[in-house]
Amino acid sequence: MDICDRINEIIKHENLNIASFARKIGIGDQTVRGVVAMRRNKPGFDFIMKIVQTFDWLNAHWLITGEGDMICENLLTIGGGKEDPSIEALLTLIREKDERIEQLIRENAALTAPCGPPSAAEPADTHA
């Protein structure tokens, strides 16, 4: 089960459709549809964070990794409303991975960009 399947499980658990789920978490309907129905994209940090913040019963570790149970046994907050350190660690890990993915996308774009026509100093390809 991948993260898109897990998000679909949350939608089913809440008895929502994609549009109402999107409104509830504050993400555009087409963005949510692209992740859970069409599976064109994987959810980014902001998408995951909005889900975790909206559903206090949700086990964030399960959402991110698929490990454990969907429903959290403990509240996501402890004493005075502070976030659980393990949740914060997971969110930091997601943030770092998103930044690394963006960096790799930029590097890939730079490497695959067309170089332009050969200069006069370079011999033309004579293998015709």
Side-chain angles (χ1 to χ4, degrees):
M1 175 183 292
D2 70 1
I3 194 162
C4 299
D5 294 325
R6 292 190 292 277
I7 293 170
N8 273 315
E9 287 294 314
I10 295 166
I11 293 169
K12 286 179 196 171
H13 180 81
E14 287 287 308
N15 294 316
L16 300 170
N17 60 36
I18 291 174
S20 58
F21 177 79
R23 278 190 304 276
K24 188 164 187 154
I25 66 171
I27 300 272
D29 179 71
Q30 292 303 316
T31 301
V32 174
R33 195 171 305 285
V35 170
V36 298
M38 294 184 269
R39 296 177 177 265
R40 287 184 308 205
N41 306 309
K42 295 289 184 190
F45 173 77
D46 290 336
F47 192 115
I48 293 170
M49 189 67 186
K50 287 185 183 236
I51 293 171
V52 170
Q53 290 173 333
T54 301
F55 303 107
D56 60 356
W57 54 264
L58 179 65
N59 178 349
H61 183 74
W62 171 84
L63 175 60
I64 296 165
T65 66
E67 298 172 0
D69 295 321
M70 176 173 67
I71 299 172
C72 188
E73 291 179 15
N74 303 323
L75 293 176
L76 294 180
T77 58
I78 55 178
K82 295 181 181 177
E83 286 191 11
D84 183 333
S86 62
I87 301 298
E88 189 60 37
L90 285 170
L91 295 175
T92 299
L93 179 64
I94 291 171
R95 198 174 297 120
E96 290 169 356
K97 290 203 178 284
D98 277 355
E99 289 170 4
R100 178 67 178 140
I101 289 168
E102 289 173 11
Q103 176 188 7
L104 290 171
I105 289 170
R106 285 190 302 273
E107 289 174 9
N108 186 39
L111 291 172
T112 58
C115 297
S119 67
E122 296 178 31
D125 188 7
T126 58
H127 300 6

